Amino acid sequence: MIRLVKNKCTLLLILLIISCSSQFIKKQDENYFLGKYFAGEGDIEYLELLDIARRMFGPDPEFQNLPMFYEPKWNGFIEGPTWDAWWIQNSYGPTYCSLPFLTEPYITFLQNSQDLWFDQIGDGKTEYTYHNHTWIPPDGCLVDAAKPDWAAHKQGDGRVELHDWALEFTAAGALLQAELLLISRDIEKIEKYLPKLERGVNFIETRRDPAMNLFLAGPAGNLLAPSYAGWKKSDGIFDKAYLSGLSITYIAVLDRIIELEKMIQNEEKVMVYENRRHMAQKGLPLLIAEDGCFIKSLDPDGTKHGVFGAEKHGYFDTVCNHDAICFRVVDDTHARIIYDRIVAIPELRQNNTIITNYPSLDDMYVNNKGLFNYGTWVNGGNWSTCEARMIMSYYRLNVFEDARKSMQQLLTFAEKFRMDNPFTNFGSGLNQPNKHINLVYDSFGPPAAFVRGLFEYIYKADELILYPHIPSGISYVEQRFPVRFGEKKLFLSTVGTGKITKVIINGKKWKFFDETSVFLP
């Protein structure tokens, strides 16, 4: 058990590394909360929200929960009863945020679902057919979605004939698998999957412009596709542009692949991927507007898309910006600049949840028609997979009230069995309102992030870094469930508030920490 003990301005972390449940339970009183997964003192409402969030990832009599997504056809998870496959962009937030605390059989179910992507990774030879389109995806290309004997290697909605390959999908899918491997620390599985992850990043590398150190992507090559149309040239043809999200997600996956290569002691590839990451980071300033936030994309002719307030393409794109914070692609100072800009544009969170952009996009290949109508889908809608990464950003910056409000907003749907996605009308409406109930995996992103954000968990080749983010109103909190670190199970608790001043592991003082983080080898 790691116990973080805080006084009025200090924090003590206590860690118990065991294989059974924690017994660190205090006597209950009116200021003490004792739930199934969390116990603590102080802000009872916040502690209860934490407990509810964690309850959604096991069988529960009150809330829709993770076991409801089980699909026996592939012994894994399915997107939902009205979505019969497994999507990368939709699972990105909930999977990333829940991975540290998932237990069996859910880990196996998740792996079997992600195998639908990796078993059908493009090889430059095999044909796939979708909506009367026949494709031969390039080697290393992952998918928008897949199920047994079927995969869409391009975004499957919209004008598919215009769409580029699943570029940012490939980076995100590889990141999820890399994170799973870093947490499980199974060398045999790392050696099994790493070649496919390498093929994925090699595919993305084919789109690098070495003069710019940026990556070219055509229509629907972004993760929240098809909200991006690339570069519309003067002849009306849509071509490739430099996509910010692709650079950001690529850097995030390289961070994890480098750690995996270190774990199998492949120093040559470590050097290759570290150089790629360095060069990709070198290109990022070209994608940053004067306000310090990332634009959505840059056309080869110099036109910028997503400079808030500009006469043309003057919207703010949230996805690439909150992802840069969530995955630590930017430093703390830059993260705060981005967050402050989001706060300064209240329309981005008019229902206490982040929408994809404000105002409406003016550079899609279809504008404000049907699904593309502003506030409905990928143009100004609210996606819980994105909300998860936004909540992780809140935690990183210790802005807990924003995280609280987001979780409370989700509960307005969860309490009515309306866990739908995307949420329309800027986060206040349902995508499928005529169903008696709604259930979509995306919606489990916010509760997953609400739990993971508390300690963040950064897995490396040789250590796990904990970043405790404890609301000041909570004087004591205990996680009554294990967090995975290879074969070890970690039970965490904290006492006090403020900076970390003392860490105890299994009853003994621990010296490897600083004021904001704890290092576990």
Side-chain angles (χ1 to χ4, degrees), residues 472-493:
S472 60
I474 296 176
S475 58
Y476 159 70
V477 63
E478 178 193 352
Q479 291 191 166
R480 304 179 64 203
F481 57 91
V483 172
R484 295 187 297 129
F485 183 30
E487 295 183 353
K488 297 180 177 67
K489 295 181 179 180
L490 313 181
F491 292 82
L492 310 176
S493 68

Side-chain angles (χ1 to χ4, degrees), residues 217-222 224 226-231 240-243 296-297 365:
N222 65 320
L224 198 69
S227 60
Y228 160 77
W231 175 30
K240 301 176 183 66
Y242 303 110
L243 178 63
K296 185 171 187 174
S297 62
Y365 55 67

Side-chain angles (χ1 to χ4, degrees), residues 373-389:
N373 189 49
Y374 185 51
T376 300
W377 186 40
V378 294
N379 178 22
N382 168 245
W383 292 83
S384 293
T385 181
C386 296
E387 188 69 29
R389 285 116 67 188

Side-chain angles (χ1 to χ4, degrees), residues 204-216 242 247 250 275-276 278-284 286:
I204 296 169
E205 194 64 27
T206 65
R207 297 302 185 89
R208 182 193 293 269
D209 178 344
M212 304 278 283
N213 280 307
L214 299 176
F215 299 86
L216 289 161
Y242 303 110
S247 288
Y250 184 54
N275 181 63
R276 289 186 184 181
H278 171 72
M279 299 307 291
Q281 289 173 322
K282 191 175 179 180
L284 285 182
L286 297 173

Side-chain angles (χ1 to χ4, degrees), residues 218-325:
N222 65 320
L223 189 57
L224 198 69
S227 60
Y228 160 77
W231 175 30
K232 186 177 182 181
K233 299 190 294 187
S234 58
D235 59 4
I237 300 296
F238 292 96
D239 206 341
K240 301 176 183 66
Y242 303 110
L243 178 63
S244 296
L246 184 54
S247 288
I248 290 164
T249 310
Y250 184 54
I251 290 169
V253 69
L254 284 178
D255 283 339
R256 288 153 178 81
I257 289 179
I258 288 167
E259 299 302 321
L260 293 175
E261 298 287 2
K262 289 179 180 178
M263 289 184 71
I264 62 171
Q265 300 180 349
N266 195 333
E267 294 302 321
E268 183 178 346
K269 287 187 176 178
V270 169
M271 292 177 63
V272 169
Y273 295 129
E274 284 183 339
N275 181 63
R276 289 186 184 181
R277 179 183 61 184
H278 171 72
M279 299 307 291
Q281 289 173 322
K282 191 175 179 180
L284 285 182
L286 297 173
L287 301 171
I288 298 174
E290 290 184 2
D291 62 4
C293 298
F294 287 98
I295 63 174
K296 185 171 187 174
S297 62
L298 174 67
D299 289 344
D301 66 2
T303 302
K304 295 179 179 180
H305 297 245
V307 178
F308 184 70
E311 183 176 350
K312 188 176 182 181
H313 312 321
Y315 54 85
F316 186 97
D317 184 83
T318 62
V319 181
C320 61
N321 280 287
H322 62 53
D323 281 4
I325 302 174

Side-chain angles (χ1 to χ4, degrees), residues 136 161 482:
I136 300 178
E161 70 277 6

Side-chain angles (χ1 to χ4, degrees), residues 88-133:
I88 288 179
Q89 61 176 323
N90 302 73
S91 63
Y92 193 35
T95 294
Y96 173 75
C97 294
S98 64
L99 275 172
F101 59 83
L102 283 188
T103 57
E104 290 291 2
Y106 308 124
I107 301 167
T108 294
F109 296 163
L110 179 64
Q111 184 62 79
N112 290 345
S113 295
Q114 293 189 173
D115 282 344
L116 297 172
W117 310 333
F118 288 95
D119 288 347
Q120 300 180 88
I121 189 171
D123 60 7
K125 303 173 185 176
T126 305
E127 289 187 350
Y128 291 86
T129 300
Y130 180 79
H131 283 192
N132 299 317
H133 296 279

Side-chain angles (χ1 to χ4, degrees), residues 3-14 24 26 40-43 400 455 468-478 493-502:
R3 185 181 181 193
L4 297 178
V5 179
K6 302 175 178 177
N7 299 318
K8 289 186 178 179
C9 59
T10 63
L11 176 66
L12 168 65
L13 174 63
I14 301 175
F24 192 77
K26 296 177 59 178
E41 288 181 324
D43 191 333
F400 304 110
F455 291 98
H469 304 292
I470 312 299
S472 60
I474 296 176
S475 58
Y476 159 70
V477 63
E478 178 193 352
S493 68
T494 74
V495 179
T497 59
K499 298 175 181 178
I500 304 171
T501 58
K502 188 177 182 180

